[in-house]
Amino acid sequence: MKSITKTIMIAASAFALCFGLTACGGGGQAAANGSASSAASSAASAASKVTDFYMFKAEMPEGYAMWGPNGKESPLNIVEFRNIESSNKLVDVEIDDGTAQEQFDKKAAKDKYTAGQDVKLGKYTWKTLDFTWNKQPSVVMYTDIADGLYAEVTLYETTLDDAAVKAFLEGAEFTTDYETAHKAGMDTTVEKFASDNNLKLWEDKK
């Protein structure tokens, strides 16, 4: 009888141990699945912040709002971001036919510009020219995005020392279909585009 009881106790202990290991394994799998789910959610959240501005896809520079050369009624053939706290800080973005070198050489020939260092940001290497705007350091930049197509970014009263501007350019991806992008941009306004995409529109605080 004692032998039978002992056998039953050993079997029960073995069963309990096996069940415990299975539970732990399941918990580990659940934790792993939870981590994977969290990572996927973070990636999806980051992707959701990227906006297609027709000429390029990027996240809005933090601390900036949309505007245009002629105000909120401007078409979107030129995208302008204006700093919310310091309205004279502007980021102008456009693409056009030609090459970065050609545009760089034309601008560099003018006295107000000084050649800077080439800068690698994200997928693109930019040729830079420093200049002064309202007595503040400013930069104009050029890069080739396709054969015979270049992008131009002008930073008024700010430079790549602005972390928000640098992050914006590092994440930007330019289109290679100029005709389609240009037509789409001309068919809307800054105000409408900002409203349709739930983006902040710059407002004059005065």
Side-chain angles (χ1 to χ4, degrees):
M1 185 69 177
K2 288 183 179 181
S3 176
I4 295 174
T5 302
K6 184 175 181 181
T7 300
I8 293 172
M9 290 178 65
I10 292 172
S13 297
F15 177 78
L17 177 61
C18 180
F19 179 80
L21 289 172
T22 301
C24 289
Q29 183 64 37
N33 289 340
S35 298
S37 176
S38 177
S41 177
S42 297
S45 177
S48 69
K49 294 180 181 179
V50 173
T51 300
D52 186 350
F53 293 92
Y54 305 134
M55 291 186 295
F56 60 90
K57 294 178 181 179
E59 291 186 33
M60 281 269 289
E62 186 176 353
Y64 285 74
M66 288 195 71
W67 201 238
N70 296 309
K72 63 184 180 182
E73 298 301 324
S74 298
L76 212 65
N77 62 318
I78 297 177
V79 179
E80 179 180 293
F81 300 111
R82 187 182 291 260
N83 189 278
I84 296 170
E85 298 300 326
S86 180
S87 62
N88 289 328
K89 287 185 177 182
L90 303 176
V91 179
D92 278 0
V93 187
E94 58 183 303
I95 64 175
D96 207 345
D97 294 324
T99 69
Q101 188 65 58
E102 290 172 351
Q103 301 307 314
F104 175 87
D105 291 342
K106 287 179 183 178
K107 195 82 81 172
K110 300 179 181 180
D111 291 339
K112 66 181 289 186
Y113 296 97
T114 302
Q117 297 293 320
D118 288 359
V119 180
K120 180 78 164 61
L121 295 168
K123 296 182 176 182
Y124 308 97
T125 298
W126 298 83
K127 305 188 76 63
T128 67
L129 289 166
D130 300 322
F131 68 101
T132 300
W133 188 263
N134 292 335
K135 299 181 179 181
Q136 298 300 317
S138 305
V139 184
V140 60
M141 310 166 60
Y142 302 95
T143 192
D144 291 311
I145 54 179
D147 187 24
L149 188 65
Y150 73 94
E152 176 178 343
V153 175
T154 307
L155 311 179
Y156 293 99
E157 296 195 29
T158 188
T159 67
L160 291 174
D161 290 334
D162 183 331
V165 172
K166 187 174 182 179
F168 158 69
L169 289 171
E170 285 177 334
E173 183 174 352
F174 289 89
T175 183
T176 56
D177 187 349
Y178 173 76
E179 296 299 330
T180 300
H182 182 72
K183 184 180 185 306
M186 293 300 293
D187 286 345
T188 190
T189 65
V190 169
E191 182 178 35
K192 184 177 186 307
F193 184 86
S195 176
D196 289 347
N197 290 276
N198 196 30
L199 299 175
K200 186 171 182 60
L201 188 68
W202 185 79
E203 297 179 9
D204 192 344
K205 296 181 180 180
K206 293 181 181 179

